[in-house]
Amino acid sequence: MADAPFMKDGMARPTGRDALGWLLRGEVGMAAGVIGILLLLILPVPAFMLDLLLAISLVSSVLILMTAVMMKRPLDFAIFPTVLLISTLYRLGLNIASTRLILSEGATGHTSAGAIIAAFGELMMSGSFVIGLIIFAILLVVNFVVITKGATRIAEVSARFTLDSMPGKQMAIDADLSSGLIDEEQAKTRRKELEQESTFFGAMDGASKFVRGDAIAGLIITFINIIGGMLIGVIQHDMSAADAANTYVQLSVGDGLVTQIPAIIVSVAAGFLVTKAGVEGSADKAFVSQMATNPVALGVVAGTSGLLALVPGMPILPFAALAAGSGFLAWRTGRERLKPPPAEPLEAAPQAADVEEPIATALTIDDVKIELGYSLLALINDLEGRRLTDQIRALRRSLAQEYGFVMPSVRILDNMRLPNQGYAIRIKEMDAGTGEVRLGQLMAMDPTGRQVELPGEHTREPAFGLPATWIDDSLREEATFRGYTIVDPSTVLTTHLTEILKENMAELLSYTEVQKLLKELPAEAQKLVDELIPSTVTVTTLQRVLQTLLRERVSIRDLPAILEGLAEAAPHTSSVTILVEHVRTRLARQLCWQHRGEDGALPIVTLSPDWEQAFADALVGPGEDKQLAMAPSQLQDFIRAVRDVFERAAMVGENPVLLTGPQIRPYVRSIIERFRGQTVVMSQNEVHPKAKLRTVGSV
């Protein structure tokens, strides 16, 4: 076997076949193409090669136009600004190459610059170079004044509004993520699409200037070709002024047309792309669905065409044909709208329909139930692409991932006693929350907490009580531009349901649900369950521990760690309070991570030694059965001090936790949850050794 040649770095030198494959790689091929375009600006090109390059320019412009027309959304053709730059540079290179041939070989005849330029010149001039100049000027005006200017303006406005609406769209993505409608991966995908959209329209704003500059350059190059060619023909080749004008004007106009027609096609493609924002599907389907499906509009067109056909002097045939075609379409679309919707197949009735339902079924209690007013039954069906059932399904998945709590199934039914657009959420058949939504409208909220300054019905957001306004859907863009958070009716209801479920998770965690959680543990944790339950800890005790954790919104997803903590403490105590405190110590890393700030540190408010001692002295009772017995006046002082510290922290954007001693933590929490239920109380034993602490204040 012959030795392969080696390069200096010891790697084998590629063979001829390998080198060809390397050159055919996409990035190398594109780089070579750009270099080739730049060479057109410098090196002369023979006439036959110029014909091939001009043909490529014509065909590629048609490909660009068809791609822009068939795109379902502008981001599907995100490479268009780059394509626009390359095609513009390519046409300028062809302009310079053809100018070189026209000025150097124009005296030899009309085919001196290639057959394509000659054919375009003869086709457009119709025997007179004046006609050719007029048609060329008209095409330049159409491209420069109409198409290019309009597309440039639309690109500028789209870029500005896309950039201005980014904060509102990002807040909408965050709202969908927090309500469980989308997961983290979908949120990342939407944020990436939002970034691509802003980048695309920004690039289109700049790239549209290439087309405008190309039109100006085409006009200048054509003018130079005509003047320079006539001077060369008359002075150097002793041609008469008429012959020189006939020859060089035809060549110059043919050259201008053969480059301006692809420029017009690409300009139309740019116009299609920037005007398609907000249109669903390809342009042909959107055109038909929005313009050819209204029988009233088609009927008016038919009547207008018929009247024009009757005007004296007007040709009857074209207007009559248009009237007949429009009338037929109006009649057909009108019939389609009058057809009743197809009835859904009914399920076969059971054979024993007269069997009486057992009375025991009336004793069943629904854990979670949503009752809807009559007008809100549409929320169950498809409403603007979102169904209430789909959102509840996403909510159950979100709660399971965040808290380890499997939410019970939700029963949805109508209640004629509720307002038409009202709803009621019931937990174990008891009212937990009510509210009203407005179908066909959007709820707008100011993230700063101020009242929305848009026309509509002012109200309060049912979940958090924030000022909100029901606005018409036509004000969506304006609300987004002002940075308001926009929520549809079904999401308002789902958000309210989310907060109610978080408040009642402890009650919804039944004995049966705890058994399901134990059965669904991985196989490696089942041995711990067998050793611990029921010999050391009963399922009821475990249920009470988990309920206590959920009441303080501590995730129980890491159930093996909770069981390990119970296995350590249960042999020494039967007090649920002490068991919970020991389990919380085992969950120190989770607690510190859950309540960390934006800088990664745990913001804390410390309890002064005086209050630590006051609570310790107020504990009375034997052994583990201690109770808090503090004077009411002292409790009022403590409540006032806590409220002042946390309100000051909230004003600077902080959401700290209250740090106390391990012996008094459950008693401090029992007091604080009565007036600040959202405040987290942690003991010093629950701070992980690697957690970073940042002191915000002290009580």
Side-chain angles (χ1 to χ4, degrees), residues 63-121:
L63 174 62
I64 294 171
L65 175 61
M66 291 299 101
T67 304
V69 171
M70 298 303 175
M71 286 295 103
K72 293 185 177 180
R73 55 180 189 148
L75 286 182
D76 292 339
F77 202 3
I79 195 64
F80 184 77
T82 304
V83 172
L84 199 60
L85 169 62
I86 294 176
S87 62
T88 302
L89 186 61
Y90 182 58
R91 287 194 302 273
L92 290 176
L94 293 179
N95 265 328
I96 294 176
S98 60
T99 298
R100 186 181 287 110
L101 283 176
I102 290 172
L103 297 181
S104 61
E105 306 292 340
T108 60
H110 291 167
T111 60
S112 58
I116 293 181
I117 291 178
F120 267 87

Coordinates of all heavy atoms in Angstrom, one line a residue, residues 63-121:
L63 N -38.1 32.1 -8.2 CA -38.0 31.1 -7.1 C -38.2 31.9 -5.7 O -39.0 31.4 -4.9 CB -36.7 30.4 -7.1 CG -36.4 29.5 -5.9 CD1 -37.5 28.3 -5.8 CD2 -35.0 28.9 -5.9
I64 N -37.6 33.0 -5.6 CA -37.7 33.8 -4.4 C -39.2 34.3 -4.2 O -39.7 34.2 -3.1 CB -36.8 35.0 -4.4 CG1 -35.3 34.5 -4.4 CG2 -37.0 36.0 -3.3 CD1 -34.3 35.7 -4.6
L65 N -39.8 34.7 -5.3 CA -41.2 35.2 -5.2 C -42.1 34.0 -4.8 O -43.0 34.2 -3.9 CB -41.6 35.8 -6.5 CG -43.1 36.2 -6.6 CD1 -43.4 37.3 -5.6 CD2 -43.4 36.7 -8.1
M66 N -42.0 32.9 -5.4 CA -42.9 31.8 -5.1 C -42.7 31.3 -3.7 O -43.6 30.9 -3.0 CB -42.6 30.6 -6.1 CG -43.1 30.9 -7.5 SD -44.9 31.2 -7.6 CE -44.9 33.0 -7.8
T67 N -41.4 31.3 -3.2 CA -41.2 30.9 -1.8 C -41.9 31.9 -0.9 O -42.4 31.4 0.1 CB -39.7 30.9 -1.6 OG1 -39.0 30.0 -2.5 CG2 -39.4 30.4 -0.2
A68 N -41.8 33.2 -1.2 CA -42.4 34.2 -0.3 C -43.9 34.0 -0.3 O -44.6 34.2 0.7 CB -42.0 35.6 -0.7
V69 N -44.5 33.7 -1.5 CA -46.0 33.6 -1.6 C -46.5 32.3 -0.8 O -47.5 32.4 -0.1 CB -46.4 33.5 -3.0 CG1 -47.9 33.1 -3.1 CG2 -46.2 34.8 -3.7
M70 N -45.7 31.2 -0.8 CA -46.2 30.0 -0.2 C -45.8 29.9 1.3 O -46.3 29.0 1.9 CB -45.5 28.8 -1.0 CG -45.9 28.7 -2.4 SD -47.7 28.6 -2.7 CE -47.8 28.6 -4.5
M71 N -45.1 30.8 1.8 CA -44.7 30.7 3.2 C -46.0 30.9 4.1 O -46.8 31.8 3.8 CB -43.7 31.8 3.6 CG -42.3 31.6 3.1 SD -41.5 30.1 3.9 CE -41.7 28.9 2.5
K72 N -46.1 30.1 5.2 CA -47.2 30.3 6.1 C -47.0 31.4 7.1 O -48.0 32.0 7.6 CB -47.5 29.0 6.8 CG -47.9 27.8 5.9 CD -48.3 26.6 6.7 CE -48.8 25.5 5.8 NZ -49.1 24.2 6.5
R73 N -45.8 31.8 7.4 CA -45.5 32.9 8.3 C -44.1 33.4 7.9 O -43.3 32.7 7.3 CB -45.5 32.4 9.7 CG -44.5 31.3 10.0 CD -44.6 30.9 11.4 NE -43.5 29.9 11.7 CZ -42.8 29.9 12.8 NH1 -43.2 30.6 13.8 NH2 -41.9 29.0 13.0
P74 N -43.9 34.7 8.1 CA -42.6 35.3 7.7 C -41.4 34.7 8.2 O -40.4 34.6 7.5 CB -42.7 36.8 8.2 CG -44.2 37.0 8.4 CD -44.8 35.7 8.7
L75 N -41.4 34.1 9.4 CA -40.2 33.5 10.0 C -39.8 32.2 9.3 O -38.7 31.7 9.4 CB -40.4 33.2 11.5 CG -40.4 34.4 12.4 CD1 -40.6 33.9 13.9 CD2 -39.1 35.2 12.3
D76 N -40.7 31.6 8.5 CA -40.4 30.5 7.7 C -39.4 30.8 6.6 O -38.7 29.9 6.0 CB -41.6 29.8 7.1 CG -42.5 29.2 8.1 OD1 -42.0 28.9 9.2 OD2 -43.7 29.0 7.8
F77 N -39.2 32.1 6.3 CA -38.3 32.6 5.3 C -37.3 33.6 5.9 O -37.1 34.7 5.4 CB -39.0 33.2 4.1 CG -38.2 33.2 2.8 CD1 -36.9 32.7 2.7 CD2 -38.7 33.8 1.7 CE1 -36.2 32.7 1.5 CE2 -38.0 33.9 0.5 CZ -36.7 33.3 0.4
A78 N -36.8 33.2 7.1 CA -36.0 34.1 7.9 C -34.7 34.5 7.2 O -34.1 35.5 7.5 CB -35.6 33.5 9.2
I79 N -34.2 33.7 6.2 CA -33.0 34.0 5.5 C -33.2 35.0 4.4 O -32.2 35.4 3.7 CB -32.4 32.7 4.9 CG1 -31.0 32.8 4.4 CG2 -33.3 32.2 3.7 CD1 -30.0 33.0 5.5
F80 N -34.4 35.5 4.2 CA -34.7 36.4 3.1 C -33.9 37.7 3.1 O -33.4 38.1 2.0 CB -36.2 36.8 3.2 CG -36.6 37.7 2.0 CD1 -36.9 37.2 0.8 CD2 -36.8 39.1 2.1 CE1 -37.2 37.9 -0.3 CE2 -37.1 39.9 1.1 CZ -37.4 39.3 -0.2
P81 N -33.6 38.4 4.2 CA -32.7 39.5 4.2 C -31.3 39.2 3.6 O -30.8 40.0 2.8 CB -32.6 40.0 5.6 CG -33.8 39.5 6.3 CD -34.1 38.2 5.6
T82 N -30.8 38.1 3.9 CA -29.5 37.7 3.3 C -29.6 37.4 1.8 O -28.8 37.8 1.0 CB -29.0 36.4 4.0 OG1 -28.8 36.7 5.4 CG2 -27.6 36.0 3.5
V83 N -30.8 36.7 1.4 CA -31.0 36.5 0.0 C -31.2 37.8 -0.7 O -30.7 37.9 -1.9 CB -32.3 35.6 -0.1 CG1 -32.7 35.5 -1.6 CG2 -32.1 34.2 0.5
L84 N -31.8 38.8 -0.1 CA -32.0 40.1 -0.7 C -30.7 40.7 -1.0 O -30.4 41.3 -2.1 CB -32.9 40.9 0.2 CG -33.6 42.1 -0.5 CD1 -34.5 41.7 -1.6 CD2 -34.3 42.9 0.6
L85 N -29.8 40.7 0.0 CA -28.4 41.3 -0.2 C -27.7 40.6 -1.3 O -27.1 41.2 -2.2 CB -27.6 41.1 1.1 CG -26.2 41.5 1.0 CD1 -25.9 42.9 0.6 CD2 -25.5 41.2 2.4
I86 N -27.7 39.2 -1.3 CA -26.9 38.5 -2.4 C -27.5 38.8 -3.7 O -26.7 39.0 -4.7 CB -26.9 37.0 -2.0 CG1 -26.1 36.7 -0.7 CG2 -26.3 36.2 -3.2 CD1 -26.1 35.3 -0.3
S87 N -28.8 38.7 -3.9 CA -29.4 38.9 -5.2 C -29.2 40.4 -5.7 O -28.9 40.6 -6.9 CB -30.9 38.7 -5.1 OG -31.6 39.6 -4.2
T88 N -29.2 41.3 -4.8 CA -28.9 42.7 -5.2 C -27.5 42.9 -5.7 O -27.2 43.5 -6.7 CB -29.2 43.7 -4.0 OG1 -30.6 43.5 -3.6 CG2 -29.0 45.1 -4.5
L89 N -26.6 42.3 -4.9 CA -25.2 42.3 -5.3 C -24.9 41.6 -6.6 O -24.1 42.1 -7.5 CB -24.3 41.7 -4.2 CG -22.8 41.8 -4.4 CD1 -22.3 43.3 -4.4 CD2 -22.1 41.1 -3.2
Y90 N -25.6 40.5 -6.8 CA -25.5 39.7 -8.1 C -26.0 40.6 -9.3 O -25.3 40.6 -10.3 CB -26.3 38.5 -7.9 CG -26.3 37.5 -9.1 CD1 -25.0 37.0 -9.6 CD2 -27.4 37.1 -9.8 CE1 -25.0 36.2 -10.7 CE2 -27.4 36.3 -10.9 CZ -26.2 35.8 -11.3 OH -26.1 35.0 -12.4
R91 N -27.1 41.3 -9.1 CA -27.6 42.1 -10.3 C -26.7 43.2 -10.6 O -26.5 43.6 -11.7 CB -29.0 42.6 -9.9 CG -30.1 41.5 -10.0 CD -31.5 42.1 -10.0 NE -31.7 42.9 -8.9 CZ -32.2 42.4 -7.7 NH1 -32.4 41.1 -7.6 NH2 -32.4 43.2 -6.7
L92 N -26.1 43.8 -9.5 CA -25.2 44.9 -9.8 C -23.9 44.4 -10.5 O -23.4 45.1 -11.4 CB -24.8 45.6 -8.4 CG -25.9 46.4 -7.7 CD1 -25.4 46.9 -6.4 CD2 -26.3 47.6 -8.6
G93 N -23.5 43.2 -10.1 CA -22.3 42.6 -10.8 C -22.7 42.4 -12.3 O -21.8 42.7 -13.2
L94 N -23.9 41.9 -12.6 CA -24.3 41.7 -14.0 C -24.4 43.0 -14.7 O -24.1 43.1 -15.9 CB -25.6 41.0 -14.0 CG -25.6 39.5 -13.5 CD1 -27.0 38.9 -13.6 CD2 -24.7 38.7 -14.3
N95 N -24.9 44.1 -14.0 CA -25.0 45.4 -14.6 C -23.6 45.9 -15.1 O -23.5 46.4 -16.2 CB -25.6 46.4 -13.6 CG -27.1 46.6 -13.8 OD1 -27.6 46.5 -14.9 ND2 -27.8 46.8 -12.7
I96 N -22.6 45.7 -14.2 CA -21.3 46.2 -14.6 C -20.7 45.4 -15.7 O -20.1 45.9 -16.6 CB -20.4 46.2 -13.3 CG1 -20.9 47.2 -12.3 CG2 -18.9 46.5 -13.7 CD1 -20.2 47.2 -11.0
A97 N -20.9 44.0 -15.6 CA -20.4 43.2 -16.7 C -21.0 43.5 -18.0 O -20.4 43.5 -19.1 CB -20.6 41.7 -16.3
S98 N -22.4 43.7 -18.0 CA -23.0 44.1 -19.3 C -22.6 45.4 -19.8 O -22.5 45.7 -21.0 CB -24.5 44.0 -19.1 OG -25.0 44.9 -18.1
T99 N -22.4 46.4 -18.9 CA -21.9 47.7 -19.3 C -20.6 47.7 -20.0 O -20.4 48.3 -21.0 CB -21.9 48.6 -18.0 OG1 -23.1 48.8 -17.4 CG2 -21.3 50.0 -18.4
R100 N -19.7 46.8 -19.4 CA -18.4 46.6 -20.1 C -18.5 46.1 -21.5 O -17.9 46.6 -22.4 CB -17.5 45.7 -19.2 CG -16.1 45.6 -19.7 CD -15.3 44.6 -18.9 NE -15.0 45.2 -17.6 CZ -15.5 44.8 -16.4 NH1 -16.4 43.8 -16.5 NH2 -15.2 45.3 -15.3
L101 N -19.4 45.2 -21.7 CA -19.6 44.6 -23.1 C -20.3 45.6 -24.0 O -20.0 45.8 -25.2 CB -20.5 43.3 -23.0 CG -19.8 42.1 -22.5 CD1 -20.8 40.9 -22.4 CD2 -18.7 41.7 -23.5
I102 N -21.3 46.4 -23.5 CA -22.0 47.3 -24.3 C -21.1 48.4 -24.8 O -21.0 48.8 -26.0 CB -23.2 47.9 -23.5 CG1 -24.3 46.9 -23.3 CG2 -23.8 49.2 -24.2 CD1 -25.4 47.3 -22.4
L103 N -20.3 49.0 -23.9 CA -19.4 50.1 -24.3 C -18.2 49.6 -25.1 O -17.7 50.4 -25.9 CB -18.9 50.8 -23.0 CG -19.9 51.4 -22.1 CD1 -19.3 52.1 -20.9 CD2 -20.7 52.4 -22.9
S104 N -17.8 48.4 -24.9 CA -16.6 47.9 -25.7 C -17.0 47.2 -27.0 O -16.2 47.3 -28.0 CB -15.8 46.9 -24.8 OG -16.5 45.8 -24.5
E105 N -18.1 46.5 -27.0 CA -18.5 45.7 -28.2 C -19.8 46.2 -28.9 O -20.3 45.5 -29.8 CB -18.6 44.2 -27.9 CG -17.4 43.6 -27.2 CD -16.2 43.5 -28.1 OE1 -16.4 43.5 -29.3 OE2 -15.1 43.4 -27.6
G106 N -20.4 47.3 -28.4 CA -21.7 47.7 -28.8 C -21.7 48.0 -30.3 O -22.7 47.8 -31.0
A107 N -20.6 48.5 -30.9 CA -20.6 48.9 -32.3 C -20.7 47.7 -33.2 O -21.1 47.9 -34.4 CB -19.3 49.7 -32.6
T108 N -20.5 46.5 -32.8 CA -20.5 45.3 -33.6 C -21.9 44.9 -33.9 O -22.1 44.0 -34.7 CB -19.7 44.2 -33.0 OG1 -20.3 43.8 -31.7 CG2 -18.3 44.6 -32.8
G109 N -22.9 45.3 -33.2 CA -24.3 44.9 -33.4 C -25.1 44.8 -32.1 O -24.6 44.9 -31.0
H110 N -26.4 44.5 -32.3 CA -27.3 44.4 -31.2 C -27.1 43.2 -30.3 O -27.5 43.1 -29.2 CB -28.7 44.4 -31.6 CG -29.2 45.7 -32.2 ND1 -30.3 45.9 -32.9 CD2 -28.6 47.0 -32.2 CE1 -30.4 47.2 -33.3 NE2 -29.4 47.8 -32.9
T111 N -26.4 42.2 -30.8 CA -26.1 40.9 -30.0 C -24.7 41.0 -29.4 O -24.3 39.9 -28.9 CB -26.2 39.7 -30.9 OG1 -25.3 39.8 -32.0 CG2 -27.6 39.6 -31.5
S112 N -24.1 42.1 -29.4 CA -22.7 42.2 -28.8 C -22.7 41.9 -27.3 O -21.7 41.4 -26.8 CB -22.1 43.5 -29.1 OG -23.0 44.6 -28.5
A113 N -23.8 42.2 -26.6 CA -23.9 42.0 -25.1 C -24.7 40.7 -24.8 O -25.1 40.6 -23.6 CB -24.5 43.2 -24.4
G114 N -24.9 39.9 -25.7 CA -25.6 38.6 -25.5 C -27.0 38.6 -26.1 O -27.6 39.7 -26.3
A115 N -27.6 37.4 -26.2 CA -28.9 37.3 -26.9 C -30.0 37.8 -26.0 O -31.0 38.3 -26.5 CB -29.1 35.8 -27.3
I116 N -29.9 37.6 -24.7 CA -31.0 38.0 -23.8 C -31.2 39.5 -23.8 O -32.3 40.0 -23.9 CB -30.7 37.4 -22.4 CG1 -30.7 35.9 -22.4 CG2 -31.7 38.0 -21.4 CD1 -30.5 35.3 -21.0
I117 N -30.1 40.2 -23.7 CA -30.2 41.7 -23.7 C -30.8 42.2 -25.0 O -31.6 43.1 -25.1 CB -28.9 42.4 -23.4 CG1 -28.5 42.1 -21.9 CG2 -28.9 43.8 -23.7 CD1 -27.1 42.6 -21.5
A118 N -30.3 41.6 -26.1 CA -30.8 42.0 -27.4 C -32.3 41.7 -27.6 O -33.1 42.5 -28.1 CB -30.1 41.3 -28.5
A119 N -32.7 40.5 -27.1 CA -34.2 40.1 -27.2 C -35.0 41.1 -26.3 O -36.1 41.5 -26.8 CB -34.3 38.7 -26.7
F120 N -34.6 41.4 -25.1 CA -35.4 42.3 -24.3 C -35.4 43.7 -24.9 O -36.5 44.4 -24.9 CB -34.7 42.4 -22.9 CG -35.3 41.5 -21.9 CD1 -34.8 40.2 -21.8 CD2 -36.4 41.8 -21.1 CE1 -35.4 39.3 -20.9 CE2 -36.9 41.0 -20.2 CZ -36.4 39.7 -20.1
G121 N -34.3 44.1 -25.5 CA -34.3 45.4 -26.2 C -35.3 45.5 -27.4 O -36.1 46.4 -27.5

